[in-house]
Amino acid sequence: MARLANKVVIVTGGARGLGGGAVDALCAEGAKVVIADVLDKAGEARAAQQIAAGHSAHYVHLDVREADGWAALIDDTLYRWGRIDCLVNNAGINIPIDIEEATVDQFRAILDVNLIGAFLGTKAVLPALRRSGGGSIINVASNSTQMVLPTTSLYGASKAALANLTKTTAVHCALRGDKIRVNSIHPGAHLTEMLENPQVQAMPQVRALVNAIPMGRMGLPAEFGKLVTFLASDDASYMTAAELFTDGGLTVVSFADPSRA
Ligand SMILES: NC(=O)c1ccc[n+]([C@@H]2O[C@H](COP(=O)([O-])OP(=O)(O)OC[C@H]3O[C@@H](n4cnc5c(N)ncnc54)[C@H](O)[C@@H]3O)[C@@H](O)[C@H]2O)c1
């Protein structure tokens, strides 16, 4: 039997990239998946692809910054499938910029999606998870919570705050006796659609990044998806408030191996 049979999962930013990998992996494990995104064409196409493969998927337009949109999404999902078991707060944006160049509007824009979006989603979904008898919230942070560059100023701060919000939510739920687990995933560099272009892969900064990864390659959306299915499943039944790094070993190395440069 598929690990997530009859489980209903919402994935924000599920139209493409890592969220798309999560959607594909969750469907393969038997979950009914709601793809929530602002990229309507890509989201519809991904849902159609899963349905054609015999899985249950549905696309809903959601801007994670809007509380009303979240309320409508939860209502729509409960009406359609009767329960919700898991929320993957994956939608995220990045503005690589150092602190002196960055504007407060850019900082607010990043916080609005990466932090407030997950906050709104968590608040909206908790009552539904409780009614299902428990569930899992998975917040997609980044290895930039530990590994910083001058240009991760805004992005890293948003993801570090998200990791902390994950833990307080996890403890809140556990102490209430809710069977709701809340964890964060911290991806390192992954080969999503935007990096698949050979010209982008040949760029010196991209090559240098790959060379710095102990495993010598970027992660794949499908690998990220498997981690999401694990945290969504009962296999992770004793795991809450955890930070899972999926980064090929990058975050813990202090120096790139010069022989591989
Ligand atoms: N790809 C990586 O190497 C990497 C590394 C570390 C962390 N991450 C994190 O993983 C997550 C997915 O990143 P990705 O690389 O797949 O990026 P991506 O840009 O390919 O996908 C992000 C998705 O989020 C959606 N989105 C953006 N703003 C939204 C909003 N306001 N409302 C709803 N949806 C919105 C986009 O439309 C898109 O489909 C992000 O949270 C990102 O910060 C990615």
Side-chain angles (χ1 to χ4, degrees), residues 10 25 29 38-39 49 79 98 110 114 117-118 146 150 166 171 221 250:
I10 297 169
E29 288 283 1
V38 289
L39 294 179
Q49 199 180 21
Y79 178 75
D98 70 52
I110 277 214
N114 295 4
Q146 297 296 323
T166 304
V171 172
L250 177 63

Side-chain angles (χ1 to χ4, degrees), residues 116-128:
I116 308 293
F119 165 81
L120 291 174
T122 299
K123 285 175 76 73
V125 84
L126 278 175

Side-chain angles (χ1 to χ4, degrees), residues 12-20 36-40 42 61-66 89-94 112-114 139-144 155 158-159 162 185-195 209 218-219 221 224 246:
T12 69
R16 71 174 189 200
L18 295 187
D37 208 307
V38 289
L39 294 179
D40 297 340
H61 180 94
L62 171 77
D63 185 328
V64 296
R65 299 170 295 183
E66 292 173 1
N89 281 313
N90 165 79
I93 59 168
N94 188 6
D112 248 0
V113 178
N114 295 4
N139 290 331
V140 181
S142 164
N143 72 334
S144 64
Y155 180 75
S158 74
K159 294 297 191 177
L162 177 62
I185 298 182
H186 298 243
H190 277 69
L191 197 54
T192 54
E193 287 93 329
M194 282 180 292
L195 288 174
L209 174 63
M218 292 194 201
F224 170 83
T246 179

Side-chain angles (χ1 to χ4, degrees), residues 70-174:
W70 273 107
L73 171 74
I74 300 296
D75 284 353
D76 180 81
T77 306
L78 290 173
Y79 178 75
R80 180 175 295 273
W81 282 324
R83 58 185 292 124
I84 302 173
D85 299 281
C86 177
L87 168 65
V88 186
N89 281 313
N90 165 79
I93 59 168
N94 188 6
I95 305 174
I97 195 160
D98 70 52
I99 180 96
E100 292 200 79
E101 293 290 324
T103 67
V104 71
D105 286 346
Q106 288 172 320
F107 198 15
R108 288 202 171 109
I110 277 214
L111 291 173
D112 248 0
V113 178
N114 295 4
L115 183 60
I116 308 293
F119 165 81
L120 291 174
T122 299
K123 285 175 76 73
V125 84
L126 278 175
L129 294 182
R130 259 183 217 122
R131 276 203 296 282
S132 302
S136 169
I137 298 175
I138 302 164
N139 290 331
V140 181
S142 164
N143 72 334
S144 64
T145 57
Q146 297 296 323
M147 196 177 182
V148 306
L149 293 167
T151 50
T152 59
S153 59
L154 307 185
Y155 180 75
S158 74
K159 294 297 191 177
L162 177 62
N164 197 274
L165 187 70
T166 304
K167 295 180 192 64
T168 53
T169 311
V171 172
H172 168 78
C173 291

Side-chain angles (χ1 to χ4, degrees), residues 198-221:
Q199 277 174 331
V200 174
Q201 286 189 47
M203 286 163 67
Q205 57 270 47
V206 175
R207 289 177 61 89
L209 174 63
V210 171
N211 283 337
I213 299 170
M215 287 182 73
R217 66 172 180 87
M218 292 194 201
L220 301 173

